[in-house]
Amino acid sequence: MSIDPEIDPIESEDDLFEHYNFIVDKGQQLLRIDKYLLLKIANSSRSKIQTGIEAGAVKVNDQLIKSNYKVKPFDEISVSFSTPPRDNEVIPENLPLNIVYEDSDLIIINKEPGMVVHPAHGNWTGTLVNGLLYYCQNLPGNNNIRPGLVHRIDKDTSGLLVIAKTEFAITYLAKQFFDHTIERTYYAILWGVPKVEKGTLRGNITRHPKDRKIMHMLPEDSEDGKLAITHYEVIESFGFCSFVKFNLETGRTHQIRAHAQSMGHPLVSDSSYGGDKIRFMSTRTNFKQFVDNMFKVCPRQALHAYSLGFDHPTTNERMQFESQFPEDFDNLLNKLRKFTND
């Protein structure tokens, strides 16, 4: 069975790195931690381990350490690294990239809707990663299918992505995603208006038992799935639709899309979660015609990754980036405002 690129197992932003926990055996002799971890972690290298230690991705007994630290019996070691290489060749392609910022450590890209972020089974060309490899040949992890990637967004979601240009940067940024210190704001257009204008959505998210291409929300105390936390605020109400801001605390697969559906307010035009048909009615006589036009104006889920905030890998300066709405999203929003006010 092939794997849809939109449901690649590593799609969750929080899964774009490894996480290990070790408790040192009682008979372990003193040994430098970089050498110890080299023996413990497959597909790794001493330079990658040392870079991870420098970036704060390795702790012993919940304390940051240096590469020359010597492990001793019963030490508790936690590790967060960027993902290991995979043996798949990705061909560089000269593709248009909307680069909004770049320095020696990272690139900020405003991704257009319709572009897949990284290659996967059945989808090896035309992705953002193919374009990145043409533009920047020395991204960390050039021998895998996700060089430079710290997180991702869905094919039909537009907006900002941060790309790491060095091994230190990818580890440093991945650690911020793991610690949930990255600020991510999305804007969406939903069917209907949530009864509570501002709140937090919590629950475990997992693959839907009947449709593996979509996600399914479960109670937070469920034994299945991973905890997903989303904060939301209704910015503007149109009665049958609403303009809503989302802030991600975790970065699970389809998190906003699944959380919106769980509220009974799927994203407009989100065919996977029931947003491609009328979900809330209006008394206007030309309503159905207007909805058909909505779907033509924005034929993909109405979701945009608007802003990113994080600490710079080298300067530690807090970086903040915002992006304009793409044309289809902006046109849909303006049409809703005009239809409501006429």
Side-chain angles (χ1 to χ4, degrees):
M1 181 179 68
S2 64
I3 300 177
D4 190 298
E6 283 298 283
I7 59 165
D8 188 314
I10 58 85
E11 182 178 347
S12 169
E13 294 173 2
D14 290 343
D15 292 336
L16 283 175
F17 49 86
E18 306 162 289
H19 188 66
Y20 299 97
N21 287 285
F22 303 109
I23 297 179
V24 179
D25 295 337
K26 65 179 180 180
Q28 174 67 51
Q29 296 181 345
L30 294 178
L31 182 67
R32 279 177 59 112
I33 191 165
D34 50 359
K35 293 182 178 180
Y36 177 84
L37 292 178
L38 188 61
L39 298 172
K40 286 285 188 179
I41 300 176
N43 298 320
S44 192
S45 66
R46 192 169 180 183
S47 63
K48 178 180 177 179
I49 290 170
Q50 289 175 339
T51 300
I53 292 171
E54 292 173 9
V58 178
K59 290 184 178 181
V60 177
N61 303 322
D62 207 30
Q63 300 294 319
L64 296 176
I65 47 83
K66 296 183 178 180
S67 296
N68 61 359
Y69 175 87
K70 293 185 178 180
V71 300
K72 53 184 180 298
F74 306 112
D75 274 347
E76 295 186 16
I77 304 172
S78 64
V79 183
S80 300
F81 283 160
S82 56
T83 49
R86 293 190 178 186
D87 296 327
N88 298 103
E89 183 180 6
V90 181
I91 305 301
E93 297 178 67
N94 187 7
L95 301 173
L97 300 175
N98 185 0
I99 296 173
V100 298
Y101 175 84
E102 181 178 7
D103 61 26
S104 59
D105 295 287
L106 54 88
I107 303 171
I108 303 295
I109 288 181
N110 189 13
K111 187 185 81 68
E112 299 295 327
M115 175 178 270
V116 175
V117 171
H118 64 76
H121 296 273
N123 201 96
W124 292 101
T125 62
T127 74
L128 178 65
V129 161
N130 293 101
L132 282 170
L133 286 178
Y134 183 91
Y135 177 78
C136 187
Q137 291 79 28
N138 297 314
L139 293 173
N142 266 12
N143 59 338
N144 69 39
I145 63 173
R146 299 181 307 278
L149 287 191
V150 186
H151 63 132
R152 56 151 293 160
I153 55 180
D154 298 330
K155 171 187 174 182
D156 289 325
T157 299
S158 55
L160 295 177
L161 285 164
V162 56
I163 309 298
K165 294 174 69 174
T166 69
E167 187 67 40
F168 180 85
I170 198 171
T171 304
Y172 189 90
L173 291 167
K175 185 64 167 55
Q176 292 182 66
F177 274 94
F178 182 78
D179 291 337
H180 303 153
T181 58
I182 297 279
E183 295 175 34
R184 287 166 288 173
T185 298
Y186 289 67
Y187 283 100
I189 299 172
L190 275 55
W191 277 109
V193 184
K195 292 181 180 178
V196 180
E197 291 189 356
K198 186 176 182 180
T200 298
L201 304 169
R202 299 176 64 97
N204 284 13
I205 193 168
T206 186
R207 297 288 177 198
H208 195 285
K210 295 182 179 179
D211 185 352
R212 302 293 291 174
K213 291 185 178 182
I214 65 174
M215 306 303 289
H216 179 58
M217 297 306 305
L218 299 170
E220 187 176 342
D221 58 359
S222 173
E223 294 182 357
D224 297 324
K226 295 181 178 180
L227 178 63
I229 304 173
T230 308
H231 308 284
Y232 76 92
E233 180 181 359
V234 177
I235 303 300
E236 200 169 348
S237 172
F238 309 108
F240 60 93
C241 284
S242 55
F243 179 44
V244 180
K245 179 173 73 173
F246 290 94
N247 289 100
L248 291 182
E249 189 166 323
T250 57
R252 309 302 185 192
T253 304
H254 294 184
Q255 179 170 318
I256 290 175
R257 299 166 67 186
H259 259 149
Q261 185 201 44
S262 73
M263 287 196 295
H265 301 284
L267 274 61
V268 169
S269 290
D270 190 345
S271 59
S272 297
Y273 291 89
D276 58 343
K277 55 182 178 290
I278 294 175
R279 298 298 298 263
F280 290 82
M281 294 298 298
S282 169
T283 57
R284 297 281 291 270
T285 55
N286 60 342
F287 180 63
K288 187 179 184 305
Q289 179 182 351
F290 176 78
V291 171
D292 289 340
N293 187 251
M294 279 173 51
F295 293 150
K296 291 178 182 177
V297 168
C298 187
R300 49 97 182 189
Q301 67 254 15
L303 181 63
H304 178 69
Y306 174 76
S307 70
L308 271 176
F310 55 87
D311 294 337
H312 192 277
T314 300
T315 66
N316 291 324
E317 177 188 356
R318 191 67 179 177
M319 308 290 286
Q320 191 72 40
F321 298 93
E322 296 179 350
S323 60
Q324 292 183 333
F325 296 147
E327 184 178 5
D328 59 353
F329 189 100
D330 198 42
N331 285 344
L332 175 57
L333 190 56
N334 288 331
K335 284 184 178 296
L336 283 165
R337 287 167 175 159
K338 186 175 187 303
F339 183 80
T340 304
N341 293 327
D342 282 351

